[in-house]
Amino acid sequence: MNPEKGLFHVFSQQIAIKLEIAAKRALNIKKKNSMAGIITVDYIENDQGAFTVLCSALAPYYLHATDEERVTLDDMIDRYRYLQNCSMEEYYKGTDRAAEELKILLDDLGVQQID
């Protein structure tokens, strides 16, 4: 096994876990549930599903948002749209930023951590 590839896998998995935790928090999904296999580390890491996960996590907030709040959510969605078609390096850097930004948004909204 190539040691660099192993390190990349650990790195990519940590980023996928970060987004999975934030998305589950946003959707109030318990740790063991996965919303039909979408909000999972495997989907984020292996199927490059970060953009889908991010949009899914934002959907309930978008639905009940004011026009001003929708602009903020639209900006976030537009900022990460490129995750659908980019290099793996760009994908994981962007996924990491998206997870951080989602976490900050949830903190600002007062969304509690789930058990």
Side-chain angles (χ1 to χ4, degrees):
M1 178 181 193
N2 180 344
E4 283 187 28
K5 185 175 184 194
L7 287 174
F8 180 76
H9 175 71
V10 170
F11 172 73
S12 65
Q13 194 171 52
Q14 289 171 341
I15 291 170
I17 289 168
K18 187 188 302 187
L19 181 58
E20 177 191 39
I21 289 169
K24 285 183 174 183
R25 176 181 169 198
L27 297 170
N28 196 29
I29 296 174
K30 301 297 180 204
K31 285 183 182 179
K32 294 183 183 197
N33 296 338
S34 66
M35 199 176 111
I38 299 290
I39 312 296
T40 66
V41 169
D42 285 341
Y43 183 68
I44 296 164
E45 187 178 21
N46 299 327
D47 296 326
Q48 290 186 303
F51 184 70
T52 300
V53 170
L54 178 64
C55 290
S56 298
L58 294 175
Y61 302 97
Y62 194 89
L63 181 65
H64 300 290
T66 65
D67 288 341
E68 185 178 312
E69 291 166 336
R70 280 197 178 139
V71 168
T72 300
L73 297 172
D74 283 338
D75 287 346
M76 187 173 182
I77 290 167
D78 287 342
R79 234 183 342 278
Y80 296 106
R81 187 175 311 277
Y82 76 93
L83 292 174
Q84 298 173 95
N85 187 21
C86 60
S87 72
M88 290 305 287
E89 183 177 345
E90 290 175 306
Y91 178 77
Y92 284 109
K93 285 180 180 178
T95 299
D96 192 36
R97 283 191 305 272
E100 286 295 324
E101 192 170 341
L102 179 57
K103 182 185 176 307
I104 290 167
L105 175 68
L106 296 174
D107 290 344
D108 290 347
L109 293 171
V111 177
Q112 299 298 311
Q113 295 283 357
I114 57 170
D115 295 329

